[in-house]
Amino acid sequence: NSKTTWENLDKQIIEKLGTVAVSGGKIVIVSNTILSPSTKATIEKFNAKYPSTQHVVYDQVSAYGMLKANEESFGTAMIPSYDFSKANVIVSIASDFLTSGVSPIEATKQYAQGREVGEEKKEMSRHYQFETILSLTGANADYRSQIKPSEEGAVAIELYNLIAAKAGRASVGKGKSVTYLEDAANDLWASRGKALVVAGSNDKAVQVIVNGINDMLGSYGSTILGTPVNFRQGNDEAMANFVKEAQAGSVAAVIFYNCNPVYDHPMGAELAEGLKKVGVKIATAYKEDETGSLADFIAPDHHYLEAWNDAEPKKGYYSIAQPAITPIFKSRAAQESLLVWAGETNVDYFEVLKNNWKNWFFTGGNFQAWWDKCLY
């Protein structure tokens, strides 16, 4: 690898992407989940310039099984918001929701509220945990039962059948009874409307069973809320398909947007092999990593503490990320890089962000005062 200037880098990348576009070659942008609506809008602008572009999203800890299960159960591929504070009884099947769940900080705060007792609140929530290795969540449980990873689905089915028997519904196959499971079912049924069952499995079938249990318990609208969260948008099928396409030589160019799948994706070794057949490889990571080392061009992004950005963590909830320090090295916002490669000039991502918020949210009056208040 050799050092270069941004002008030289941009010139070479624009030429190569232009050649790919003329030949009708496929361009893929690979990223982890992006919470920023302004970044997504930037990718759409890039896509408008290069219509053969596909954006593939993956997560190191995938929740694709939950997304697909909710699509099957409710017609929408989404992850709902949970409110552990509203649950009198919590049952977790291999979900370490206090540490590595979808929203652990939020879950921890809610969970703590449910576990707190005092003069005004005499009862604390009851927590059953069924898991393999002792997790932080399991260590906090009132009742913990050890199960094999291969038994997660069978335990979920057994719990479903125990609840279904009380609800007058049909059973769904043969499950596996384990210690405390019957007690958990009894407590859940006694706390209908204030109960919550969660599972850590990335298997759609297991999550569909859990949806069925929560439905019988009246959890939806009480402990499970309709507001979708955007934390895990990864599509396992699309990512696996991209790796296969790279191996087949049918990807002309790839941009790795602040992600390192060669290191942290299960098919990382296959991807590393496949990248040998990709003509143009670009990475925007702010530091050297396994994926970037295989790229032809590295256009380093700012560290997030040096960067402007915005976020929509839950649907309808927006926030702004403001830099804490000025950039130390000659990095550039990755969004600016994408816009420059899409043919825009004099790009400043701060101005892009500000204009987006003006167009999306500002309703009139003094814009600068409104914007300052947003930042404040």
Side-chain angles (χ1 to χ4, degrees), residues 102-171:
V102 172
S103 186
I105 295 171
E106 184 181 32
T108 299
K109 185 175 182 180
Q110 294 168 352
Y111 182 80
Q113 288 173 330
R115 305 291 278 176
E116 199 172 18
V117 290
E119 286 300 319
E120 303 297 318
K121 185 172 173 286
K122 306 288 188 186
E123 297 286 324
M124 66 189 286
S125 63
R126 186 169 292 175
H127 173 193
Y128 293 86
Q129 185 84 5
F130 302 92
E131 64 181 5
T132 305
I133 298 168
L134 181 65
S135 66
L136 182 67
T137 307
N140 279 279
D142 301 298
Y143 301 97
R144 180 180 175 274
S145 199
Q146 200 169 25
I147 61 173
K148 296 176 184 175
S150 58
E151 292 172 343
E152 288 176 27
V155 168
I157 287 171
E158 184 68 18
L159 183 60
Y160 181 98
N161 291 343
L162 288 166
I163 301 290
K166 299 174 189 297
R169 294 198 192 177
S171 58

Side-chain angles (χ1 to χ4, degrees), residues 22-214:
V22 169
S23 66
K26 183 171 187 175
I27 301 170
V28 179
I29 296 175
V30 180
S31 75
N32 299 136
T33 287
I34 292 174
L35 295 180
S36 164
S38 288
T39 302
K40 287 181 176 177
T42 298
I43 290 171
E44 284 171 17
K45 283 186 180 178
F46 182 90
N47 200 356
K49 172 73 174 178
Y50 305 104
S52 64
T53 303
Q54 179 191 7
H55 182 200
V56 174
V57 181
Y58 80 97
D59 292 308
Q60 293 93 334
V61 181
S62 174
Y64 188 59
M66 192 184 292
L67 288 168
K68 294 300 285 181
N70 287 329
E71 184 176 47
E72 183 173 308
S73 299
F74 310 112
T76 308
M78 53 80 87
I79 296 172
S81 298
Y82 295 95
D83 192 343
F84 288 87
S85 71
K86 298 278 198 309
N88 289 347
V89 179
I90 299 162
V91 173
S92 165
I93 302 171
S95 172
D96 186 11
F97 58 82
L98 297 178
T99 308
S100 60
V102 172
S103 186
I105 295 171
E106 184 181 32
T108 299
K109 185 175 182 180
Q110 294 168 352
Y111 182 80
Q113 288 173 330
R115 305 291 278 176
E116 199 172 18
V117 290
E119 286 300 319
E120 303 297 318
K121 185 172 173 286
K122 306 288 188 186
E123 297 286 324
M124 66 189 286
S125 63
R126 186 169 292 175
H127 173 193
Y128 293 86
Q129 185 84 5
F130 302 92
E131 64 181 5
T132 305
I133 298 168
L134 181 65
S135 66
L136 182 67
T137 307
N140 279 279
D142 301 298
Y143 301 97
R144 180 180 175 274
S145 199
Q146 200 169 25
I147 61 173
K148 296 176 184 175
S150 58
E151 292 172 343
E152 288 176 27
V155 168
I157 287 171
E158 184 68 18
L159 183 60
Y160 181 98
N161 291 343
L162 288 166
I163 301 290
K166 299 174 189 297
R169 294 198 192 177
S171 58
V172 291
K174 186 164 171 36
K176 180 178 176 63
S177 183
V178 295
T179 312
Y180 302 132
L181 194 62
E182 203 162 323
D183 294 336
N186 292 335
D187 277 350
L188 285 169
W189 187 249
S191 295
R192 293 190 299 286
K194 291 186 175 180
L196 179 60
V197 180
V198 292
S201 175
N202 198 33
D203 185 330
K204 181 185 87 168
V206 174
Q207 295 292 349
V208 167
I209 292 290
V210 170
N211 287 349
I213 296 170
N214 281 313

Side-chain angles (χ1 to χ4, degrees), residues 17 20 26-30 54 242 246 251-257 261 271 275 278-283 291 294-297 341:
L17 290 177
V20 168
K26 183 171 187 175
I27 301 170
V28 179
I29 296 175
V30 180
Q54 179 191 7
F242 157 67
V251 176
V254 61
I255 300 171
F256 292 104
Y257 184 96
L271 176 58
L275 288 177
V278 177
V280 184
K281 300 175 286 291
I282 304 163
T291 305
L294 302 177
D296 308 310
F297 301 97
W341 303 336

Side-chain angles (χ1 to χ4, degrees), residues 246-266:
Q247 288 177 310
S250 55
V251 176
V254 61
I255 300 171
F256 292 104
Y257 184 96
N258 296 357
C259 63
N260 187 12
V262 169
Y263 174 74
D264 60 26
H265 189 269

Side-chain angles (χ1 to χ4, degrees), residues 255-332:
I255 300 171
F256 292 104
Y257 184 96
N258 296 357
C259 63
N260 187 12
V262 169
Y263 174 74
D264 60 26
H265 189 269
M267 298 174 74
E270 293 96 315
L271 176 58
E273 280 299 308
L275 288 177
K276 293 174 183 175
K277 297 183 179 178
V278 177
V280 184
K281 300 175 286 291
I282 304 163
T284 67
Y286 70 88
K287 57 181 172 46
E288 292 181 19
D289 60 29
E290 290 78 3
T291 305
S293 69
L294 302 177
D296 308 310
F297 301 97
I298 299 177
D301 189 9
H302 299 318
H303 184 275
Y304 76 92
L305 289 174
E306 304 169 330
W308 286 97
N309 214 350
D310 57 7
E312 187 185 10
K314 291 189 180 188
K315 189 175 181 181
Y317 290 75
Y318 297 90
S319 65
I320 296 176
Q322 194 172 349
I325 55 171
T326 51
I328 296 171
F329 302 105
K330 292 178 182 176
S331 54
R332 178 175 73 183

